[in-house]
C-alpha cells in the first residue's frame, strides 16, 4: 500500500521560513498533480499550492509570492518552500497526489508564532 509521508513542519517565528517535503513510500503511476493542502483549527481544509505533471503551478491568493511548490514526478516527491511566514499560516499541512486515486499524507504541523 502506497503511503505519503510529510516532513519539515515545526515551530517558527513570524517572518521565518520552512520547507515541507513529501515522498511516496511506493510507486505511484501516472501522477497528474501534486498538491499541498492545509487545515487550521475550526476551518475547512484548503488548497495551498499545486503543480501538474506539465509544470503548471497554482497558489492560493493568501500565499502567492511567499510559497513555492516544486516536485519530481518520477520520484514521487513534492516540496513546499514557505517564506515570510505569518501566524495565519499556522495549520496542519497535508500533501496529496492525484493519480488514478487521490493519495493523502498524514499531515505535518506548522506553527508560526507572532
Amino acid at each position: 500500500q502506497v503511503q505519503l509521508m510529510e516532513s519539515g513542519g515545526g515551530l517558527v517565528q513570524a517572518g521565518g521560513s520552512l520547507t515541507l517535503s513529501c515522498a511516496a513510500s511506493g510507486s505511484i503511476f501516472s501522477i497528474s498533480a501534486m498538491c499541498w493542502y492545509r487545515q487550521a483549527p475550526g476551518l475547512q481544509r484548503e488548497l495551498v499550492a499545486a503543480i501538474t505533471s506539465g509544470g503548471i503551478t497554482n497558489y492560493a491568493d493568501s500565499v502567492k509570492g511567499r510559497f513555492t511548490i516544486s516536485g519530481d514526478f518520477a520520484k514521487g516527491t513534492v516540496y513546499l518552500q514557505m517564506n515570510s511566514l505569518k501566524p495565519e499560516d499556522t495549520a496542519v499541512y497535508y500533501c496529496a497526489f492525484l493519480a488514478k486515486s487521490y493519495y493523502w499524507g498524514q499531515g505535518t504541523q506548522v506553527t508560526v508564532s507572532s
Side-chain angles (χ1 to χ4, degrees):
Q1 184 176 358
V2 175
Q3 293 183 325
L4 303 185
M5 296 295 294
E6 301 103 335
S7 61
L11 173 64
V12 64
Q13 288 188 332
S17 298
L18 282 174
T19 300
L20 304 183
S21 301
C22 173
S25 62
S27 297
I28 301 177
F29 298 101
S30 302
I31 301 173
S32 58
M34 297 192 286
C35 310
W36 286 97
Y37 287 79
R38 68 185 180 187
Q39 187 167 19
L43 298 179
Q44 290 186 333
R45 190 172 298 190
E46 63 172 347
L47 178 65
V48 175
I51 183 168
T52 70
S53 57
I56 297 172
T57 58
N58 186 43
Y59 297 92
D61 288 343
S62 59
V63 305
K64 283 181 181 177
R66 300 188 298 122
F67 291 10
T68 303
I69 188 171
S70 61
D72 186 325
F73 281 76
K75 294 182 179 179
T77 57
V78 65
Y79 306 94
L80 186 67
Q81 174 67 43
M82 305 185 294
N83 298 326
S84 302
L85 283 162
K86 304 176 181 180
E88 50 264 43
D89 294 319
T90 296
V92 177
Y93 284 71
Y94 300 88
C95 63
F97 289 5
L98 177 61
K100 290 186 177 181
S101 300
Y102 223 87
Y103 297 86
W104 288 93
Q106 82 290 348
T108 185
Q109 176 70 45
V110 172
T111 302
V112 184
S113 63
S114 57

